[in-house]
Amino acid sequence: RAASARVVELARGGATVAVVSDAGTPGISDPGALLAAECAAAGVPLVPVPGACAAIAALSISGFAAAGFRFGGFLPRAGRGRREALAALVADERAAVLYESPHRVVATLRELAAKGAGERRCLAARELTKLHEETARGTVSELAARYAAAQDEAGKLRGEFTIVLAPLAEEEVAARASEARDAAQDEARDQLRERLATGQPLSRAVREVAAAVGARRGAVYQIALELKDGGQE
């Protein structure tokens, strides 16, 4: 932060300052983001110079059809923030890209598998554009086993990793949507049963329950009619 203040001071004084990273693009999962924010706040013009970006490089060779993707950067190291970030990556239907250190890559792959992404196709890229560049393909579970074995053999892994998760297959997207609809209908049925039992007008119950569970009002109205016809059993 102190260095950023000095750079901003130089730029406001008329100097032209270049920010260069030894690997990747400054400002993407990088302290350069702080400098960019402070320059923007101070009204200092910023000019990007396109260069290497591990996320885009890995995605471009993944072979995964990705009209869009989720970028996770470096995940929180522990706690609730990490659990929520992992869950969000797995839940997203799009391709997902994240960075990980060699010390935590095995744990991250295992956690992704435990969250339900074990059979999801994956590319792991290490040291992209450098001398010891390496890529590996497989499912998340297969890559977790691969790098766990490599870590046991070598003692430790080296080089930062870029992990690319394939987007969900159409069949899985459809299955998730069906499960979500079923869950919403079950929740709507339970709420309607309670509301109708208290004497709440059907139209009001349908309107409020549809809004609460995020279901179409027509579908909720049909459930309400079924409950009334069936004596709410």
Side-chain angles (χ1 to χ4, degrees):
R1 186 175 296 274
S4 293
R6 175 59 179 155
V7 171
V8 171
E9 181 182 349
L10 288 170
R12 295 186 72 176
T16 298
V17 182
V19 179
V20 182
S21 171
D22 62 352
T25 299
I28 305 298
S29 289
D30 177 90
L34 174 62
L35 175 59
E38 294 197 2
C39 285
V44 173
L46 294 166
V47 179
V49 179
C53 175
I56 300 302
L59 189 64
S60 71
I61 62 169
S62 68
F64 304 147
F69 67 96
R70 183 187 190 99
F71 179 60
F74 284 101
L75 303 180
R77 295 187 180 185
R80 179 178 177 181
R82 180 176 177 83
R83 293 192 298 272
E84 291 179 347
L86 285 164
L89 285 168
V90 173
D92 203 314
E93 298 175 0
R94 300 169 295 173
V97 184
L98 63 148
Y99 297 152
E100 192 52 278
S101 74
H103 315 297
R104 288 187 294 275
V105 68
V106 173
T108 294
L109 289 167
R110 285 174 172 170
E111 289 176 68
L112 285 168
K115 294 286 186 183
E119 296 306 309
R120 199 157 165 179
R121 292 181 299 147
C122 183
L123 169 76
R126 182 174 68 89
E127 295 286 85
L128 280 174
T129 75
K130 299 179 185 178
L131 178 63
H132 300 293
E133 177 179 307
E134 173 189 273
T135 59
R137 301 173 187 271
T139 65
V140 170
S141 293
E142 288 169 348
L143 291 181
R146 173 192 176 114
Y147 286 113
Q151 184 171 259
D152 289 342
E153 181 178 346
K156 64 179 180 179
L157 299 174
R158 297 180 183 277
E160 290 184 348
F161 284 78
T162 302
I163 299 170
V164 184
L165 296 180
L168 293 180
E170 291 183 6
E171 296 80 4
E172 187 167 356
V173 172
R176 285 191 178 188
S178 178
E179 290 175 3
R181 284 194 301 271
D182 291 344
Q185 289 182 358
D186 289 343
E187 178 63 21
R189 183 171 287 103
D190 291 341
Q191 289 195 29
L192 284 169
R193 185 178 289 111
E194 293 178 4
R195 289 169 180 268
L196 295 175
T198 64
Q200 187 176 60
L202 186 143
S203 60
R204 178 182 172 187
V206 167
R207 183 175 65 253
E208 293 181 355
V209 169
V213 303
R216 291 186 301 108
R217 191 176 298 185
V220 175
Y221 181 71
Q222 185 60 42
I223 294 172
L225 290 180
E226 292 171 2
L227 288 173
K228 288 188 71 71
D229 292 343
Q232 300 187 36
E233 294 180 3

